[in-house]
Amino acid sequence: MTTSTTDSKTATTPAIAPPVVDTHVIVRTEDGKILLSQRGGPYGYGQWHAPSGKLEPGELPAVGAARELEEETGLIVDPDHLQLAYTVSHYQSPTVQRLGLFFVATMWEGEPVNREPAKCLDLRWFAEHELPEDLIPYPAEGIRGALTARGGLALHNWPTP
């Protein structure tokens, strides 16, 4: 196992593969409600998160976020109208790091529909100040950050040196 050390401001961590880039879309209404989906797959079964997915090779982040939102909910958003609101660097395991880009959408077309019933148990609107307690921890970090500390970066689940 290889380790890297830079300066006192950088943690010493094992060398890992390039991060998986995830896009998350916080669909937010004018009255402060956000759309969440309840996971139906093995990761986070029954827990809530924002519509999300992996960025495809060569895909621009906002384009990937708009694509994932449409694939999961049927909502159509112009990538130029998505606002990058928060970033999370998530340490998943010694060999997997995820970089979560959390976008906010305040303009879209359509009504949300569960287009992936094998992966999603429910789609539901929540007041942003009354989010469910059973949010998946990694996306919860980004959702809360996007709502309260726009432009921020969180390090989630990283081991302490």
Side-chain angles (χ1 to χ4, degrees):
M1 182 182 322
T2 309
T3 59
S4 61
T5 306
T6 54
D7 60 36
S8 62
K9 294 180 183 177
T10 305
T12 301
T13 58
I16 57 177
V20 174
V21 180
D22 298 320
T23 61
H24 307 256
V25 181
I26 301 163
V27 179
R28 187 175 183 273
T29 64
E30 287 182 19
D31 62 349
K33 292 184 180 172
I34 64 171
L35 182 67
L36 296 178
S37 61
Q38 189 178 36
R39 293 281 308 177
Y43 172 73
Y45 184 88
Q47 294 179 300
W48 296 90
H49 70 110
S52 63
K54 295 180 194 82
L55 197 62
E56 294 180 357
E59 189 174 40
L60 294 173
V63 172
R67 174 186 52 76
E68 286 290 347
L69 181 65
E70 184 176 3
E71 286 176 6
E72 293 184 15
T73 69
L75 296 178
I76 298 170
V77 64
D78 181 337
D80 290 336
H81 293 156
L82 289 172
Q83 302 166 359
L84 180 59
Y86 206 74
T87 304
V88 176
S89 176
H90 171 66
Y91 182 90
Q92 184 171 324
S93 73
T95 59
V96 180
Q97 173 189 358
R98 302 185 89 82
L99 185 65
L101 304 175
F102 290 78
F103 292 89
V104 172
T106 56
M107 298 186 310
W108 62 87
E109 294 177 23
E111 292 296 322
V113 174
N114 183 358
R115 295 182 67 186
E116 296 184 333
K119 296 179 183 178
C120 176
L121 301 174
D122 194 9
L123 289 174
R124 194 178 307 167
W125 293 99
F126 290 89
E128 63 184 52
H129 61 278
E130 294 178 356
L131 298 177
E133 289 184 24
D134 54 347
L135 286 167
I136 298 172
Y138 151 45
E141 186 89 26
I143 292 167
R144 290 188 180 109
L147 295 174
T148 62
R150 286 226 174 163
L153 167 69
L155 302 177
H156 184 262
N157 204 40
W158 282 88
T160 53

PDB file of all heavy atoms in Angstrom, residues 126-152:
ATOM      1  N   PHE A 126     -40.270  17.308   0.586  1.00  0.00           N
ATOM      2  CA  PHE A 126     -40.053  17.582   2.010  1.00  0.00           C
ATOM      3  C   PHE A 126     -39.714  19.058   2.176  1.00  0.00           C
ATOM      4  O   PHE A 126     -38.963  19.620   1.365  1.00  0.00           O
ATOM      5  CB  PHE A 126     -38.867  16.768   2.557  1.00  0.00           C
ATOM      6  CG  PHE A 126     -39.119  15.303   2.660  1.00  0.00           C
ATOM      7  CD1 PHE A 126     -38.852  14.451   1.595  1.00  0.00           C
ATOM      8  CD2 PHE A 126     -39.626  14.754   3.836  1.00  0.00           C
ATOM      9  CE1 PHE A 126     -39.075  13.086   1.684  1.00  0.00           C
ATOM     10  CE2 PHE A 126     -39.850  13.382   3.943  1.00  0.00           C
ATOM     11  CZ  PHE A 126     -39.584  12.550   2.858  1.00  0.00           C
ATOM     12  N   ALA A 127     -40.234  19.668   3.236  1.00  0.00           N
ATOM     13  CA  ALA A 127     -39.795  21.023   3.584  1.00  0.00           C
ATOM     14  C   ALA A 127     -38.318  20.938   3.942  1.00  0.00           C
ATOM     15  O   ALA A 127     -37.896  20.016   4.648  1.00  0.00           O
ATOM     16  CB  ALA A 127     -40.607  21.552   4.758  1.00  0.00           C
ATOM     17  N   GLU A 128     -37.533  21.884   3.463  1.00  0.00           N
ATOM     18  CA  GLU A 128     -36.087  21.798   3.688  1.00  0.00           C
ATOM     19  C   GLU A 128     -35.713  21.862   5.165  1.00  0.00           C
ATOM     20  O   GLU A 128     -34.649  21.386   5.552  1.00  0.00           O
ATOM     21  CB  GLU A 128     -35.333  22.861   2.900  1.00  0.00           C
ATOM     22  CG  GLU A 128     -35.644  24.276   3.280  1.00  0.00           C
ATOM     23  CD  GLU A 128     -34.929  25.287   2.400  1.00  0.00           C
ATOM     24  OE1 GLU A 128     -35.032  25.181   1.171  1.00  0.00           O
ATOM     25  OE2 GLU A 128     -34.284  26.176   2.969  1.00  0.00           O
ATOM     26  N   HIS A 129     -36.574  22.388   6.016  1.00  0.00           N
ATOM     27  CA  HIS A 129     -36.300  22.414   7.455  1.00  0.00           C
ATOM     28  C   HIS A 129     -36.918  21.216   8.182  1.00  0.00           C
ATOM     29  O   HIS A 129     -36.812  21.111   9.396  1.00  0.00           O
ATOM     30  CB  HIS A 129     -36.787  23.734   8.076  1.00  0.00           C
ATOM     31  CG  HIS A 129     -38.256  23.952   7.930  1.00  0.00           C
ATOM     32  ND1 HIS A 129     -38.809  24.452   6.773  1.00  0.00           N
ATOM     33  CD2 HIS A 129     -39.287  23.719   8.762  1.00  0.00           C
ATOM     34  CE1 HIS A 129     -40.119  24.516   6.925  1.00  0.00           C
ATOM     35  NE2 HIS A 129     -40.428  24.070   8.114  1.00  0.00           N
ATOM     36  N   GLU A 130     -37.530  20.285   7.410  1.00  0.00           N
ATOM     37  CA  GLU A 130     -38.108  19.064   7.992  1.00  0.00           C
ATOM     38  C   GLU A 130     -37.708  17.840   7.160  1.00  0.00           C
ATOM     39  O   GLU A 130     -38.545  17.033   6.759  1.00  0.00           O
ATOM     40  CB  GLU A 130     -39.635  19.178   8.051  1.00  0.00           C
ATOM     41  CG  GLU A 130     -40.123  20.248   9.000  1.00  0.00           C
ATOM     42  CD  GLU A 130     -41.636  20.386   9.005  1.00  0.00           C
ATOM     43  OE1 GLU A 130     -42.329  19.705   8.216  1.00  0.00           O
ATOM     44  OE2 GLU A 130     -42.133  21.193   9.798  1.00  0.00           O
ATOM     45  N   LEU A 131     -36.416  17.707   6.928  1.00  0.00           N
ATOM     46  CA  LEU A 131     -35.916  16.582   6.150  1.00  0.00           C
ATOM     47  C   LEU A 131     -36.054  15.301   6.967  1.00  0.00           C
ATOM     48  O   LEU A 131     -35.992  15.333   8.196  1.00  0.00           O
ATOM     49  CB  LEU A 131     -34.455  16.799   5.766  1.00  0.00           C
ATOM     50  CG  LEU A 131     -34.179  18.006   4.876  1.00  0.00           C
ATOM     51  CD1 LEU A 131     -32.691  18.146   4.620  1.00  0.00           C
ATOM     52  CD2 LEU A 131     -34.951  17.917   3.566  1.00  0.00           C
ATOM     53  N   PRO A 132     -36.235  14.172   6.292  1.00  0.00           N
ATOM     54  CA  PRO A 132     -36.351  12.912   7.048  1.00  0.00           C
ATOM     55  C   PRO A 132     -35.046  12.599   7.782  1.00  0.00           C
ATOM     56  O   PRO A 132     -33.966  12.962   7.324  1.00  0.00           O
ATOM     57  CB  PRO A 132     -36.644  11.875   5.960  1.00  0.00           C
ATOM     58  CG  PRO A 132     -36.167  12.482   4.692  1.00  0.00           C
ATOM     59  CD  PRO A 132     -36.300  13.963   4.849  1.00  0.00           C
ATOM     60  N   GLU A 133     -35.176  11.930   8.913  1.00  0.00           N
ATOM     61  CA  GLU A 133     -33.995  11.561   9.694  1.00  0.00           C
ATOM     62  C   GLU A 133     -33.159  10.493   8.999  1.00  0.00           C
ATOM     63  O   GLU A 133     -31.953  10.416   9.209  1.00  0.00           O
ATOM     64  CB  GLU A 133     -34.404  11.073  11.076  1.00  0.00           C
ATOM     65  CG  GLU A 133     -34.910  12.167  11.967  1.00  0.00           C
ATOM     66  CD  GLU A 133     -35.215  11.682  13.368  1.00  0.00           C
ATOM     67  OE1 GLU A 133     -34.639  10.660  13.790  1.00  0.00           O
ATOM     68  OE2 GLU A 133     -36.035  12.331  14.025  1.00  0.00           O
ATOM     69  N   ASP A 134     -33.803   9.667   8.188  1.00  0.00           N
ATOM     70  CA  ASP A 134     -33.094   8.547   7.571  1.00  0.00           C
ATOM     71  C   ASP A 134     -32.561   8.891   6.174  1.00  0.00           C
ATOM     72  O   ASP A 134     -32.736   8.153   5.221  1.00  0.00           O
ATOM     73  CB  ASP A 134     -33.959   7.291   7.558  1.00  0.00           C
ATOM     74  CG  ASP A 134     -35.322   7.499   6.912  1.00  0.00           C
ATOM     75  OD1 ASP A 134     -35.708   8.654   6.681  1.00  0.00           O
ATOM     76  OD2 ASP A 134     -35.993   6.494   6.634  1.00  0.00           O
ATOM     77  N   LEU A 135     -31.848  10.027   6.089  1.00  0.00           N
ATOM     78  CA  LEU A 135     -31.110  10.364   4.872  1.00  0.00           C
ATOM     79  C   LEU A 135     -29.838   9.516   4.833  1.00  0.00           C
ATOM     80  O   LEU A 135     -29.234   9.259   5.885  1.00  0.00           O
ATOM     81  CB  LEU A 135     -30.708  11.833   4.868  1.00  0.00           C
ATOM     82  CG  LEU A 135     -31.795  12.868   4.614  1.00  0.00           C
ATOM     83  CD1 LEU A 135     -31.285  14.263   4.961  1.00  0.00           C
ATOM     84  CD2 LEU A 135     -32.245  12.816   3.172  1.00  0.00           C
ATOM     85  N   ILE A 136     -29.421   9.108   3.666  1.00  0.00           N
ATOM     86  CA  ILE A 136     -28.130   8.425   3.526  1.00  0.00           C
ATOM     87  C   ILE A 136     -27.050   9.440   3.937  1.00  0.00           C
ATOM     88  O   ILE A 136     -27.068  10.576   3.454  1.00  0.00           O
ATOM     89  CB  ILE A 136     -27.925   7.919   2.090  1.00  0.00           C
ATOM     90  CG1 ILE A 136     -29.006   6.890   1.732  1.00  0.00           C
ATOM     91  CG2 ILE A 136     -26.527   7.325   1.917  1.00  0.00           C
ATOM     92  CD1 ILE A 136     -28.991   6.471   0.276  1.00  0.00           C
ATOM     93  N   PRO A 137     -26.113   9.087   4.818  1.00  0.00           N
ATOM     94  CA  PRO A 137     -25.176  10.064   5.376  1.00  0.00           C
ATOM     95  C   PRO A 137     -24.365  10.864   4.357  1.00  0.00           C
ATOM     96  O   PRO A 137     -24.235  12.083   4.498  1.00  0.00           O
ATOM     97  CB  PRO A 137     -24.277   9.215   6.274  1.00  0.00           C
ATOM     98  CG  PRO A 137     -25.151   8.077   6.702  1.00  0.00           C
ATOM     99  CD  PRO A 137     -26.001   7.775   5.486  1.00  0.00           C
ATOM    100  N   TYR A 138     -23.802  10.222   3.339  1.00  0.00           N
ATOM    101  CA  TYR A 138     -22.989  10.969   2.371  1.00  0.00           C
ATOM    102  C   TYR A 138     -23.829  12.009   1.632  1.00  0.00           C
ATOM    103  O   TYR A 138     -23.473  13.197   1.628  1.00  0.00           O
ATOM    104  CB  TYR A 138     -22.254   9.972   1.464  1.00  0.00           C
ATOM    105  CG  TYR A 138     -21.919  10.408   0.056  1.00  0.00           C
ATOM    106  CD1 TYR A 138     -21.370  11.648  -0.230  1.00  0.00           C
ATOM    107  CD2 TYR A 138     -22.117   9.536  -1.012  1.00  0.00           C
ATOM    108  CE1 TYR A 138     -21.050  12.017  -1.530  1.00  0.00           C
ATOM    109  CE2 TYR A 138     -21.791   9.886  -2.304  1.00  0.00           C
ATOM    110  CZ  TYR A 138     -21.265  11.140  -2.561  1.00  0.00           C
ATOM    111  OH  TYR A 138     -20.944  11.492  -3.848  1.00  0.00           O
ATOM    112  N   PRO A 139     -24.960  11.644   1.000  1.00  0.00           N
ATOM    113  CA  PRO A 139     -25.766  12.684   0.362  1.00  0.00           C
ATOM    114  C   PRO A 139     -26.335  13.699   1.358  1.00  0.00           C
ATOM    115  O   PRO A 139     -26.496  14.868   1.015  1.00  0.00           O
ATOM    116  CB  PRO A 139     -26.891  11.916  -0.328  1.00  0.00           C
ATOM    117  CG  PRO A 139     -26.422  10.518  -0.444  1.00  0.00           C
ATOM    118  CD  PRO A 139     -25.467  10.309   0.694  1.00  0.00           C
ATOM    119  N   ALA A 140     -26.624  13.278   2.579  1.00  0.00           N
ATOM    120  CA  ALA A 140     -27.151  14.204   3.580  1.00  0.00           C
ATOM    121  C   ALA A 140     -26.173  15.354   3.805  1.00  0.00           C
ATOM    122  O   ALA A 140     -26.584  16.515   3.949  1.00  0.00           O
ATOM    123  CB  ALA A 140     -27.428  13.476   4.887  1.00  0.00           C
ATOM    124  N   GLU A 141     -24.891  15.038   3.840  1.00  0.00           N
ATOM    125  CA  GLU A 141     -23.857  16.060   4.015  1.00  0.00           C
ATOM    126  C   GLU A 141     -23.948  17.109   2.905  1.00  0.00           C
ATOM    127  O   GLU A 141     -23.890  18.307   3.150  1.00  0.00           O
ATOM    128  CB  GLU A 141     -22.475  15.399   4.005  1.00  0.00           C
ATOM    129  CG  GLU A 141     -21.351  16.326   4.318  1.00  0.00           C
ATOM    130  CD  GLU A 141     -21.051  16.428   5.791  1.00  0.00           C
ATOM    131  OE1 GLU A 141     -21.323  15.488   6.547  1.00  0.00           O
ATOM    132  OE2 GLU A 141     -20.532  17.483   6.196  1.00  0.00           O
ATOM    133  N   GLY A 142     -24.110  16.652   1.675  1.00  0.00           N
ATOM    134  CA  GLY A 142     -24.194  17.571   0.544  1.00  0.00           C
ATOM    135  C   GLY A 142     -25.509  18.340   0.485  1.00  0.00           C
ATOM    136  O   GLY A 142     -25.519  19.524   0.158  1.00  0.00           O
ATOM    137  N   ILE A 143     -26.610  17.673   0.796  1.00  0.00           N
ATOM    138  CA  ILE A 143     -27.917  18.344   0.787  1.00  0.00           C
ATOM    139  C   ILE A 143     -27.922  19.458   1.834  1.00  0.00           C
ATOM    140  O   ILE A 143     -28.273  20.606   1.538  1.00  0.00           O
ATOM    141  CB  ILE A 143     -29.053  17.336   1.041  1.00  0.00           C
ATOM    142  CG1 ILE A 143     -29.186  16.372  -0.142  1.00  0.00           C
ATOM    143  CG2 ILE A 143     -30.374  18.071   1.297  1.00  0.00           C
ATOM    144  CD1 ILE A 143     -30.060  15.158   0.145  1.00  0.00           C
ATOM    145  N   ARG A 144     -27.516  19.129   3.044  1.00  0.00           N
ATOM    146  CA  ARG A 144     -27.502  20.143   4.111  1.00  0.00           C
ATOM    147  C   ARG A 144     -26.527  21.278   3.786  1.00  0.00           C
ATOM    148  O   ARG A 144     -26.816  22.450   4.027  1.00  0.00           O
ATOM    149  CB  ARG A 144     -27.178  19.501   5.445  1.00  0.00           C
ATOM    150  CG  ARG A 144     -28.322  18.635   5.942  1.00  0.00           C
ATOM    151  CD  ARG A 144     -28.103  18.128   7.363  1.00  0.00           C
ATOM    152  NE  ARG A 144     -29.227  17.314   7.775  1.00  0.00           N
ATOM    153  CZ  ARG A 144     -29.188  15.998   7.933  1.00  0.00           C
ATOM    154  NH1 ARG A 144     -28.054  15.335   7.743  1.00  0.00           N
ATOM    155  NH2 ARG A 144     -30.267  15.334   8.309  1.00  0.00           N
ATOM    156  N   GLY A 145     -25.379  20.933   3.241  1.00  0.00           N
ATOM    157  CA  GLY A 145     -24.413  21.960   2.854  1.00  0.00           C
ATOM    158  C   GLY A 145     -24.948  22.865   1.767  1.00  0.00           C
ATOM    159  O   GLY A 145     -24.782  24.085   1.821  1.00  0.00           O
ATOM    160  N   ALA A 146     -25.605  22.289   0.771  1.00  0.00           N
ATOM    161  CA  ALA A 146     -26.165  23.085  -0.321  1.00  0.00           C
ATOM    162  C   ALA A 146     -27.241  24.039   0.181  1.00  0.00           C
ATOM    163  O   ALA A 146     -27.416  25.131  -0.351  1.00  0.00           O
ATOM    164  CB  ALA A 146     -26.737  22.167  -1.394  1.00  0.00           C
ATOM    165  N   LEU A 147     -27.966  23.634   1.217  1.00  0.00           N
ATOM    166  CA  LEU A 147     -29.044  24.465   1.755  1.00  0.00           C
ATOM    167  C   LEU A 147     -28.542  25.525   2.736  1.00  0.00           C
ATOM    168  O   LEU A 147     -29.196  26.551   2.920  1.00  0.00           O
ATOM    169  CB  LEU A 147     -30.098  23.589   2.437  1.00  0.00           C
ATOM    170  CG  LEU A 147     -30.854  22.627   1.520  1.00  0.00           C
ATOM    171  CD1 LEU A 147     -31.754  21.713   2.335  1.00  0.00           C
ATOM    172  CD2 LEU A 147     -31.644  23.372   0.452  1.00  0.00           C
ATOM    173  N   THR A 148     -27.378  25.291   3.362  1.00  0.00           N
ATOM    174  CA  THR A 148     -26.933  26.207   4.419  1.00  0.00           C
ATOM    175  C   THR A 148     -25.562  26.846   4.191  1.00  0.00           C
ATOM    176  O   THR A 148     -25.263  27.866   4.807  1.00  0.00           O
ATOM    177  CB  THR A 148     -26.883  25.483   5.780  1.00  0.00           C
ATOM    178  OG1 THR A 148     -25.930  24.417   5.703  1.00  0.00           O
ATOM    179  CG2 THR A 148     -28.250  24.935   6.161  1.00  0.00           C
ATOM    180  N   ALA A 149     -24.715  26.256   3.359  1.00  0.00           N
ATOM    181  CA  ALA A 149     -23.340  26.753   3.194  1.00  0.00           C
ATOM    182  C   ALA A 149     -22.919  26.685   1.733  1.00  0.00           C
ATOM    183  O   ALA A 149     -21.906  26.076   1.398  1.00  0.00           O
ATOM    184  CB  ALA A 149     -22.386  25.945   4.072  1.00  0.00           C
ATOM    185  N   ARG A 150     -23.696  27.308   0.874  1.00  0.00           N
ATOM    186  CA  ARG A 150     -23.428  27.222  -0.568  1.00  0.00           C
ATOM    187  C   ARG A 150     -21.969  27.509  -0.895  1.00  0.00           C
ATOM    188  O   ARG A 150     -21.356  28.389  -0.320  1.00  0.00           O
ATOM    189  CB  ARG A 150     -24.310  28.212  -1.315  1.00  0.00           C
ATOM    190  CG  ARG A 150     -25.722  27.742  -1.378  1.00  0.00           C
ATOM    191  CD  ARG A 150     -26.242  27.892  -2.742  1.00  0.00           C
ATOM    192  NE  ARG A 150     -27.565  27.290  -2.815  1.00  0.00           N
ATOM    193  CZ  ARG A 150     -28.395  27.546  -3.768  1.00  0.00           C
ATOM    194  NH1 ARG A 150     -28.070  28.362  -4.722  1.00  0.00           N
ATOM    195  NH2 ARG A 150     -29.554  26.957  -3.796  1.00  0.00           N
ATOM    196  N   GLY A 151     -21.456  26.720  -1.834  1.00  0.00           N
ATOM    197  CA  GLY A 151     -20.086  26.879  -2.290  1.00  0.00           C
ATOM    198  C   GLY A 151     -19.071  26.144  -1.435  1.00  0.00           C
ATOM    199  O   GLY A 151     -17.885  26.182  -1.728  1.00  0.00           O
ATOM    200  N   GLY A 152     -19.534  25.450  -0.414  1.00  0.00           N
ATOM    201  CA  GLY A 152     -18.622  24.780   0.497  1.00  0.00           C
ATOM    202  C   GLY A 152     -18.147  23.424   0.015  1.00  0.00           C
ATOM    203  O   GLY A 152     -18.607  22.898  -1.004  1.00  0.00           O
TER     204      GLY A 152
END
